[in-house]
Amino acid sequence: MFHGGYILAYALGGVATIVIAFLWFSMTAPDKPRRAIAVMGSACPNSGFIGYPLMLLSVPEIAGTVLAMNMLVELLLVIPICLILIDMARAGEHRSLTQQILTNLVSVLRRPMVIGLLLGLVVSGLHLPMPRAVDTLFGVIAASASALSLIVIGGSLVGLPMRGNRALALQISAAKLFLNPAMVFLAVMVVPFVGFAALSPDLFAALILSAAISMFGIYTVLAQESGL
């Protein structure tokens, strides 16, 4: 069900967005933690709550495949890189870059979100059957996740000052909605030259749409870990 060219273009576009956003926010963000949070907002789309419904409306035949490929790239590559940047922004300056990367990689691997992903890949790869009671419980939790996330995000934003954040928020939004899809568009132009088949019109449309949606739902939760 996977298309190598799609995954490569999505991954290259995401990494390119991280690099360009990091360079830009190094000049405009007032401190390292805020820069790291800005980079994450520029490169991590909301493929679950926004992207998947959008695909069901526009390209329903491949919506599930697109979601799976997007989540694979985001959870195994883009989000871990951004989490490492956030952890490095908090780390002391006395350690070498290699030590910081290794330390923060371990920190990322200890996050419940990442542990859950790795366990899920193991269960899926080994084709382990899921007990019906557990499957039903997870289904109930999943059905309530979008509503609960809106309550959590809305509540977490209460009392936060807008002054000093408007200009940076505008830059983050512009990077997410324009820079990210632009980088993915350029990446997909390279795919045929490295041995992958060209994308079908539906996959191409899904790829650009996936990169052009807003940042993922837990963005504010992860930002709060840095007090932002």
Side-chain angles (χ1 to χ4, degrees):
M1 65 184 292
F2 293 110
H3 190 289
Y6 182 103
I7 293 176
L8 178 62
Y10 198 55
L12 289 177
V15 172
T17 301
I18 290 174
V19 172
I20 295 175
F22 183 86
L23 295 174
W24 173 259
F25 289 114
S26 294
M27 298 183 292
T28 63
D31 52 64
K32 289 184 178 180
R34 203 173 291 267
R35 177 183 64 191
I37 295 297
V39 171
M40 171 173 278
S42 303
C44 298
N46 193 338
S47 294
F49 291 148
I50 296 180
Y52 184 55
L54 183 61
M55 298 307 152
L56 286 174
L57 292 172
S58 55
V59 284
E61 297 82 5
I62 58 172
T65 301
V66 168
L67 176 65
M69 291 191 292
N70 288 354
M71 297 296 282
L72 181 69
V73 173
E74 292 164 18
L75 293 175
L76 292 183
L77 180 66
V78 178
I79 294 177
I81 291 175
C82 292
L83 291 177
I84 288 175
L85 290 177
I86 292 174
D87 286 339
M88 288 179 66
R90 298 196 210 105
E93 299 290 342
H94 59 282
R95 293 183 297 172
S96 68
L97 179 61
T98 302
Q99 289 176 320
Q100 289 190 55
I101 291 176
L102 291 177
T103 300
N104 291 296
L105 181 59
V106 172
S107 175
V108 168
L109 292 175
R110 292 173 60 185
R111 287 177 176 269
M113 178 175 64
V114 178
I115 293 174
L117 168 67
L118 296 177
L119 291 176
L121 289 174
V122 171
V123 171
S124 178
L126 297 178
H127 302 286
L128 298 178
M130 185 69 68
R132 177 168 296 182
V134 175
D135 190 49
T136 301
L137 174 63
F138 287 169
V140 172
I141 295 174
S144 63
S146 57
L148 182 60
S149 69
L150 292 176
I151 295 174
V152 172
I153 293 170
S156 67
L157 294 176
V158 173
L160 292 180
M162 288 297 294
R163 179 172 297 177
N165 291 322
R166 290 189 182 94
L168 189 60
L170 181 62
Q171 295 172 57
I172 295 171
S173 299
K176 181 69 211 66
L177 300 177
F178 297 103
L179 176 63
N180 195 196
M183 292 300 100
V184 169
F185 177 82
L186 292 178
V188 80
M189 297 294 104
V190 178
V191 165
F193 297 101
V194 292
F196 289 97
L199 272 62
S200 67
D202 281 351
L203 274 178
F204 178 79
L207 179 65
I208 302 303
L209 284 174
S210 296
I213 58 178
S214 55
M215 62 281 293
F216 60 165
I218 61 171
Y219 177 56
T220 55
V221 178
L222 294 175
Q224 279 191 308
E225 293 182 2
S226 300
L228 301 172

